[in-house]
Amino acid sequence: MTQLDHQVHSVGPEVAGLRTFKFIAFLYGIAAYLAFFVTILYAIGFVTGLVVPKTIDIDIGTQASTTEAVIINLLLMSLFAVQHSVMARHQFKAWWTQFVPKPVERSTYVLLASLSLLLLFWQWRPLPAVIWSVEDPDLAVTLVTLSFAGWVLVFTSTYLINHFELFGLHQVTNHLIGKETPPPRFKTPLLYNFVRHPIYLGFIIAFWAAPTMTAGHLLFAAVTTLYIFVGIALEEHDLVALFGDEYRQYKQRVSMLIPWRRSL
């Protein structure tokens, strides 16, 4: 047997299959990330009412009564909340990874969250009754700018704690190159020294800073804010279980959402 024959023989079907799976998993992770990226860009337009064809207040062709619209919208938001919260829990992950390979678990979570949001955007029923409307053009521009600042805060905060790990690309890349994903390490970079959840704070700002607040927008902002507080409670329970006293001390030292105030 020549050296070449030996090398070909050593790369058997199991090894080749493993390499193929790693590459497929990597492509899957990229596809899931792209789905997230498209979804978050659409979300910005959906909430601010800019660029996209269907927004939180505009849906040409869809008619629904107020009661029907409220029920459908609540169901859509509940679907996202349940999917987003349940799949993030440690107990679910332990069960879920019996069926979904661990390297693509995060990418699958990201993909399903993106699809549930896209479903919400597609099936959302506007409630156009105006709750408030800012007439002063300078103040209106300020509120729109503040909303975009909220989105900037969201993106910036994800990069501070490893954006690509948060959305699954880090895991599939490590799997592709045969590198072990390091265990989670507690860190509080920059903004995380002022509030424990700057990502959630960014979402709250983005949702509430609206020069024109319709009933539909108010429903969306109120329900998502309520979900954020529920999500924080669940997430911090998991973080205490993972990091113990280190996270408990962090909670005592840094406020939850409002900078420089301990109890909020």
Side-chain angles (χ1 to χ4, degrees):
M1 180 181 291
T2 66
Q3 183 178 2
L4 179 60
D5 290 335
H6 176 73
Q7 290 175 345
V8 172
H9 180 73
S10 65
V11 184
E14 292 184 2
V15 176
L18 179 60
R19 289 178 178 176
T20 300
F21 168 72
K22 286 183 175 182
F23 186 65
I24 292 173
F26 179 69
L27 294 179
Y28 176 76
I30 291 177
Y33 180 80
L34 290 176
F36 148 76
F37 197 74
V38 169
T39 302
I40 199 68
L41 288 179
Y42 197 99
I44 296 172
F46 181 79
V47 172
T48 58
L50 299 174
V51 182
V52 298
K54 179 175 180 177
T55 72
I56 201 167
D57 295 323
I58 299 175
D59 182 15
I60 300 173
T62 300
Q63 301 294 328
S65 67
T66 299
T67 302
E68 180 185 353
V70 170
I71 292 173
I72 290 174
N73 293 344
L74 286 175
L75 287 174
L76 290 168
M77 288 187 284
S78 298
L79 175 64
F80 171 77
V82 170
Q83 178 274 324
H84 197 257
S85 291
V86 171
M87 289 190 70
R89 305 282 68 80
H90 175 74
Q91 297 88 338
F92 183 89
K93 290 180 182 180
W95 171 80
W96 183 235
T97 48
Q98 297 178 76
F99 312 101
V100 175
K102 194 171 182 179
V104 298
E105 180 272 329
R106 187 67 185 183
S107 293
T108 303
Y109 171 75
V110 169
L111 178 60
L112 292 178
S114 299
L115 292 176
S116 64
L117 270 180
L118 290 173
L119 176 64
L120 185 151
F121 301 150
W122 175 36
Q123 291 297 320
W124 180 264
R125 302 297 195 266
L127 293 163
V130 175
I131 306 301
W132 75 66
S133 181
V134 175
E135 302 298 331
D136 186 304
D138 293 333
L139 182 55
V141 169
T142 300
L143 287 172
V144 172
T145 303
L146 185 60
S147 179
F148 279 109
W151 290 110
V152 171
L153 178 58
V154 169
F155 278 102
T156 302
S157 302
T158 65
Y159 280 101
L160 288 175
I161 58 171
N162 195 336
H163 173 89
F164 297 109
E165 181 179 6
L166 189 63
F167 297 105
L169 276 182
H170 190 68
Q171 292 87 328
V172 294
T173 301
N174 282 344
H175 183 60
L176 178 66
I177 63 178
K179 180 180 177 182
E180 287 290 328
T181 299
R185 182 170 60 89
F186 183 68
K187 56 183 180 179
T188 57
L190 196 58
L191 297 174
Y192 289 84
N193 289 307
F194 297 98
V195 292
R196 301 197 301 273
H197 301 281
I199 295 175
Y200 292 139
L201 175 59
F203 279 124
I204 291 173
I205 294 171
F207 295 159
W208 284 96
T212 300
M213 179 65 75
T214 64
H217 194 147
L218 181 62
L219 177 69
F220 180 85
V223 172
T224 52
T225 300
L226 177 62
Y227 168 64
I228 281 172
F229 280 99
V230 173
I232 287 174
L234 294 171
E235 184 177 317
E236 293 203 327
H237 178 271
D238 290 347
L239 290 169
V240 168
L242 183 61
F243 296 111
D245 287 340
E246 193 173 16
Y247 195 83
R248 292 189 185 96
Q249 293 168 7
Y250 176 61
K251 286 180 68 176
Q252 294 177 352
R253 187 175 72 252
V254 178
S255 63
M256 185 171 70
L257 287 172
I258 300 178
W260 306 296
R261 293 188 60 184
R262 174 167 297 191
S263 61
L264 295 175

